[in-house]
Amino acid sequence: MSAPGLFITFEGGEGAGKTTQINLLAKALTDAGHKVVTTREPGGTIEAEKIRNLLVQRDGGAWSPMAECLLLFAARVMHVKKVIQPALEEGQIVICDRFTDSTRAYQGYGRGMALDKIEEINAATLGGFGPDLTFVFDINPEAGLSRSSRRLAAESLDLKQTEDRFENMDIAFHEKLRQGFLEIAKNEPERCHVIDANGTVEKIAAEIEKTTLGTLK
Ligand code: T5A
């Protein structure tokens, strides 16, 4: 499934600053003359956004880890087929907020689903398709959750539809996520760049831009 564009993903725990940095990188690349598509998971297509609503909203239900994983890959199949792969085939840069590493971290390391089962589903649904470059945002969970809750408090009007189902898990869960993401990065050092998300917005943006431009050369 290789294609001429570049597929970049942003990963990490809650409130680490991914969305902020995706917007800055997209602007920097667009200003430099590249064609850029930004998207997110779960979501990115009408079908996948419907699945997102099932999973991330406060009253989103009590899915088992396997059920959650299957829903995430159902959404991902549609997203890759309708948005990501066509843009890559046109030579565009696709920047995605979360992808399969989030399933490994949340459903695998966090909720205890066997990692080899996740890889089997990944292989069966996407033939193992994945990003060329991944930024893994690392932050102390308390700091990330406090950033998230500040943002939610500023934006949220309807509590039932608040997308904080995973944010409401306990700190031990978020620590497992953090260690999971770090282990994923350690296992694939060529693809994954760990970002110290405690830094200032400007410092992090500069590091991400430099790494991305280095990959594009
Ligand atoms: N999920 C997803 C799974 O369980 N499995 C999967 O396979 C997938 C794909 C998705 C949820 O679904 C789960 C994981 C998630 O729980 P999401 O929308 O991606 O939800 O969730 P979040 O990561 O929680 O998104 P957030 O928007 O909360 O966090 P971001 O995008 O990391 O952070 P951002 O940029 O919105 O920043 C948060 C706040 O911090 C400030 C910002 O201004 C904002 O107010 N901020 C900073 N403050 C200080 N210093 C910095 N450097 C800052 N950068 C940003």
Side-chain angles (χ1 to χ4, degrees):
M1 270 223 241
S2 71
L6 185 72
F7 182 29
I8 307 173
T9 56
F10 281 56
E11 296 280 5
E14 309 284 328
K18 296 176 279 81
T19 312
T20 305
Q21 294 297 334
I22 285 171
N23 292 337
L24 292 171
L25 180 63
K27 182 170 184 324
L29 292 171
T30 306
D31 289 350
H34 295 282
K35 287 204 168 155
V36 179
V37 173
T38 58
T39 186
R40 69 171 183 179
E41 289 221 342
T45 72
I46 291 169
E47 303 79 6
E49 290 289 334
K50 287 185 179 168
I51 293 179
R52 179 185 181 97
N53 290 340
L54 293 176
L55 287 170
V56 303
Q57 287 186 357
R58 181 172 290 197
D59 64 350
W63 304 100
S64 72
M66 172 61 91
E68 227 164 59
C69 180
L70 293 170
L71 285 169
L72 285 157
F73 273 100
R76 191 162 294 140
V77 164
M78 295 307 292
H79 190 203
V80 169
K81 182 176 156 45
K82 289 178 78 174
V83 175
I84 298 174
Q85 198 70 34
L88 292 176
E89 273 159 19
E90 286 174 10
Q92 300 191 44
I93 299 173
V94 177
I95 308 177
C96 190
D97 192 343
R98 300 191 180 279
F99 199 68
T100 303
D101 291 327
S102 280
T103 312
R104 295 180 177 115
Y106 280 77
Q107 282 63 49
Y109 290 94
R111 299 208 59 206
M113 183 171 169
L115 293 171
D116 59 350
K117 280 272 169 277
I118 296 175
E119 296 313 328
E120 279 173 29
I121 295 167
N122 184 23
T125 53
L126 294 178
F129 169 82
D132 304 299
L133 173 64
T134 297
F135 294 105
V136 176
F137 280 53
D138 183 49
I139 193 167
N140 172 310
E142 277 101 345
L145 289 166
S146 129
R147 281 187 192 171
S148 268
S149 54
R150 276 202 301 273
R151 183 182 60 74
L152 286 172
E155 288 174 9
S156 175
L157 296 173
D158 180 352
L159 272 185
K160 271 179 118 182
Q161 287 180 15
T162 303
E163 292 190 338
D164 62 357
R165 187 167 148 252
F166 288 97
E167 278 156 47
N168 279 334
M169 308 285 261
D170 61 24
I171 281 292
F173 173 81
H174 292 283
E175 266 304 338
K176 282 193 237 170
L177 295 183
R178 184 183 192 187
Q179 295 313 320
F181 277 120
L182 290 175
E183 202 162 312
I184 291 166
K186 198 169 145 208
N187 291 340
E188 287 191 69
E190 295 209 343
R191 170 174 71 87
C192 298
H193 296 259
V194 177
I195 298 289
D196 177 358
N198 294 294
T200 63
V201 169
E202 295 74 20
K203 184 168 175 260
I204 296 170
E207 186 179 346
I208 288 174
E209 196 180 328
K210 189 171 163 213
T211 305
T212 304
L213 294 177
T215 306
L216 280 168
K217 273 183 193 157

